[in-house]
Amino acid sequence: MVLYLNIEERLLKGDKRACARLITMLENNDKEAVNILKRVYKNSGNAYVIGITGPPGAGKSTLTDKLTKELLKQGKKIGIVAIDPTSPFSGGAILGDRIRMNDLALDRNVFIRSMGTRGSLGGMSKATWGAIKVLDIFGCDYIFIETVGVGQSEVDIVKTADTVLMVMVPNLGDDIQAIKAGIMEIADVFAINKSDLDGADKTKVEVEMNLDLNEEKDYRPPVVKVSAGQNKDIDILLDKILEHREYLEKTNELENIRTRNNKLEILKMVEEDLMKLILDRAVKEDLLENLAKEVTLRETDPYSAKDEIIELIVNNE
Amino acid sequence: MFDNNKLEEIKTSVESWEKEVVEKSISRFPERKQNFTTGSNGEVNRLYTPLDIEDLDYNEELGLPGEYPFTRGVQSTMYRGRLWTMRQYAGFASAEESNQRYKYLLDQGQTGLSVAFDLPTQIGYDSDDGLSEGEVGKVGVAIDSLKDMEILFDGIPLDKVSTSMTINAPASVLLSMYIAVAEKQGVSKEKLRGTIQNDILKEYIARGTYIFPPEQSMRLITNIFEYCSKEVPQWNTISISGYHIREAGSTASQEVAFTLADGIAYVEAAIEAGLDVDDFAPRLSFFFNAHNDLLEEVAKYRAARRLWAKIMKERFNAKDPKSMQLKFHTQTAGSTLTAQQPDNNIIRVTVQTLAAVLGGTQSLHTNSRDEALALPTEDSVRIALKTQQIVAHESGVTETIDPLAGSYYVESLTNRIEEEAMNYIKSIDELGGAPKAIEKGYIQKEIQNAAYRYQMEVESLERIVVGVNKFQIQETDKKELLKVDKTVEINQREKLKVLREERNNEEVERTLKLLKEKAGTDENLMPFILEAVKAYATLGEICNVLREVFGEYQQTVIL
Amino acid sequence: MDRPIRVLVAKPGLDGHDRGAKVIARSLRDAGMEVIYTGLRQTPDQIVAAAIQEDVDVVAMSILSGAHNHLFPKVVNLLREEGVDDMLIIGGGVIPEDDIPYLIESGIEAVFTPGTPTKDVIEFITNNLRR
């Protein structure tokens, strides 16, 4: 296929098709794609990643659209990864975030990719990490990751983004839930969207109060009221995000965070490969199946069964 | 309405009939299916008896034709006094060709005009706008300026016909053009009769030809209410529509609920704009669908009338009985037409016509057999019109008023639909009214779910569509279809060029500038739009000015 | 294929009737596909940009306004100009049979007219992917 021959060069030149194709290949666990990434990885590192999270209906897509437009004014190149939940029953998904970003579809400096979670539970898809790298190498200055708002600790986004933006809306009741579920701790910037609604001020106060309780950190997340629909105060929000970036860069925190995230990613991939290795062997000749049956019949116990499987790896490598 | 003792007797006999007679019959010949349902998937019992409507109070819930709550009809003589208006929606290609079709239809006995505009016109784009490419004249007539409007109605006396215009977002502009054409004919505004659809909420819900955001759109709508109540008093200023909501897949109860919820929003907007309810409410009209299940449809129209009357009286304190009357136009359901065996559609339309007539519609459009594939040919449209005429003059259903009243089934259904609709309206109220419910996607989601369910029923053969999933044939007979070709677009572009050269461009600029200024204030925009129209400013130019001031609607799609 | 098929469901032009597009989108989702739906009033340029960025396997366009003879081939040509040759392009809506040969010639692989069961569309896509 012609594509494979110079997909790297085309990616480095900023060819959207090559970028898109490479993301697809990573989504599909294509080994060739990983090899390509290995070769061009050193070209990454320029992009700043902003994670956008929050409950469904908070207006994340519309806000992403507006923030992107602000950054475009500054001549930046933007990548957007919009994630929607994959149906656990059918394995399919409706990826509808582009609708709120129709204006951006034709902008030369914007690349938007929709992804399904494809079984991942943390609000992001596994292939998102790969997509971010590709977009980085493609030339994006900023990459927005718009996650599925699962409403609980969104662990994944913290392991990926440089700045995490939490989008809330007044009166959803989620404000209280969010506080209870501990999500408050993961966000670096809070946006109270749909600020034209009653209760926006009250929500802001509640969030601020909860931030008061976390006095240890020397960075205090700002809480900004915005209205994405009315394009109001988006510039202020963007400023706060960029201020957070400045803070991270000045204190060297950015490098620490990224190193930590890289560690987590490497670990995760090691985990996956090992798991695959083990399962392949355990499933071969129905070993796992038989052990499970023996455990049920009390012919062995789960712990010994585990030992037997682990031994396969230890001995065979 | 029934004697308690008699009811007891009936109860006993029904019970024993079910236990003995029916059981025996079923054990030998089971019924055709497990579940019997209405077209909207509502449960249908084997039999209906007085027991099903034992609480029905004739005077309170049915009443008399022309009297509150208007369940049996809004006029006291209904079709005995005057048949419904036979109003076939028509328009395509150029104003010249549409003008010819209108004259043909009037000759053939049609009693009112109904104008279909093309998509660029409906969305406020001139025929030479980039977005109009490929669309000019395709689904209706292309109107770019007053000049086209003059051609459209050439030789048609506007004091003698009533005209319904299916136009929503730019309704103010097209109405102004109509007024200007009448003026040139020497017909004063007071004499003009007709309707503009002017129902933006359903555009956001189901039809898609919106331009401006909701708040500004409501402003234009209430401007029209106010202007017409003084200047064009015989004009129906809005046709609050359920047709499209049904076409998008809703059930019958949802059709009633979402339409009336929209109606409530318009009434509230007008009252907030300072109008007195009895000043504009008599000119509100409605537009419903006529779907396949004849009896359910009849019940639906009756439920809608009763519910609206109650809403106007109790919720809005209307005093004039005319404010409480739900007058409506009906169109047979386009979505039931099949591309396979198109002649079958004539029969479908006949059943749907009966439904609308037995339901008491004030005017009716019947679809043509070939409309699953294209706009209708002259032949097909003639058959559609004849369908109405045969039902009117040969079927006997117009000899008396509301003949199905009293049917245990129909009255039960009427009650059920009214109740279900009321529940939906309550939910919508809780969300803050129709505009908020639309913003949240509530109404759209309900409709989509119903549409998906329907499709799955068809594919699983739970629901039969003759010729499509059962009784199919090898299609060989192909009829001629109407074609609209590219020359329309080319000609319109030419016309626009000529217009822009020949008109007084200074005057155009002046009126547009004034309109822009006024759009930023609270003033009623109708007079300023009328001025711009008379100066031969184009539809696109006027709408673009308004787009600058109002912005454009951003769609919210929830799948 | 052990990965979900990616489909772009698009409504080109000014047509606002989306019941069919939405029903198709849902049925494709229920059949395990990832469906990108971009809403109403898509220009051919927007459709092509989305198709490329999303690297879809299928572009499925729905149109009921009669503008298909103009808009469908436009999308096909724009995709070709961008060097795309491995996407399955299909269409549906109110399209007279007489127009279908022209559309097929222009590069639309299949046209699904009113009455087509969704499972036919699913089957066609599954059996005719170009990758």
Side-chain angles (χ1 to χ4, degrees), chain B residues 185-202:
Chain B
Q185 280 185 5
V187 178
S188 71
K189 296 195 221 68
E190 294 90 50
K191 296 226 183 77
L192 296 178
R193 287 174 302 123
T195 312
I196 35 172
Q197 199 165 81
N198 197 24
D199 171 6
I200 198 65
L201 290 176
K202 66 100 169 49

Side-chain angles (χ1 to χ4, degrees), chain B residues 198 201 214-215 217-230 237-238 240 261-284 308 312 316 323 435 524:
Chain B
N198 197 24
L201 290 176
E215 211 187 295
S217 303
M218 292 301 249
R219 181 260 183 96
L220 284 173
I221 291 172
T222 51
N223 278 177
I224 293 176
F225 286 178
E226 191 185 30
Y227 181 81
C228 289
S229 70
K230 301 192 191 101
T237 46
I238 190 170
I240 306 165
D262 285 348
I264 290 171
Y266 293 125
V267 173
E268 283 176 352
I271 290 177
E272 200 166 323
L275 298 172
D276 184 79
V277 70
D278 287 317
D279 279 341
F280 65 88
R283 282 284 155 223
L284 301 177
W308 185 248
M312 288 310 283
F316 292 112
S323 298
N524 191 316

Side-chain angles (χ1 to χ4, degrees), chain B residues 135 208 210 247 449 452 459, chain C residues 14 19 26 30 41 118:
Chain B
E135 314 257 19
Y210 43 75
E247 289 292 279
N449 288 341
Y452 195 65
E459 295 193 14
Chain C
L14 302 177
R19 173 179 181 173
R26 231 169 125 163
D30 287 347
R41 297 199 203 166
T118 53

Side-chain angles (χ1 to χ4, degrees), chain B residues 136-201:
Chain B
V136 177
K138 288 280 161 65
V139 308
V141 66
I143 300 288
D144 290 324
S145 73
L146 178 57
K147 212 161 176 78
D148 288 325
M149 205 69 167
E150 286 161 6
I151 297 170
L152 188 66
F153 290 104
D154 178 57
I156 296 177
L158 296 187
D159 55 345
K160 300 241 168 44
V161 298
S162 87
T163 304
S164 169
M165 294 193 277
T166 300
I167 192 76
N168 294 277
S172 50
V173 183
L174 276 301
L175 178 60
S176 300
M177 287 185 187
Y178 191 84
I179 291 171
V181 171
E183 242 180 66
K184 291 206 174 182
Q185 280 185 5
V187 178
S188 71
K189 296 195 221 68
E190 294 90 50
K191 296 226 183 77
L192 296 178
R193 287 174 302 123
T195 312
I196 35 172
Q197 199 165 81
N198 197 24
D199 171 6
I200 198 65
L201 290 176

Side-chain angles (χ1 to χ4, degrees), chain B residues 71-120:
Chain B
T71 316
R72 303 199 66 181
V74 294
Q75 289 114 357
S76 54
T77 54
M78 285 303 292
Y79 305 135
R80 285 169 64 115
R82 209 173 63 136
L83 290 172
W84 65 89
T85 307
M86 300 186 188
R87 194 190 288 282
Q88 296 296 87
Y89 187 53
F92 53 93
S94 64
E96 287 89 349
E97 286 162 272
S98 299
N99 175 266
Q100 273 178 21
R101 176 62 70 87
Y102 292 161
K103 288 178 171 149
Y104 174 76
L105 288 168
L106 288 169
D107 269 343
Q108 286 295 315
Q110 181 168 300
T111 41
L113 289 178
S114 175
V115 183
F117 299 98
D118 70 2
L119 282 174

Side-chain angles (χ1 to χ4, degrees), chain B residues 38-56:
Chain B
T38 63
S40 299
N41 235 341
E43 212 186 298
V44 179
N45 298 336
R46 178 173 299 114
L47 185 75
Y48 288 80
T49 66
L51 295 168
D52 293 288
I53 52 168
E54 55 183 354
D55 290 328
L56 191 70

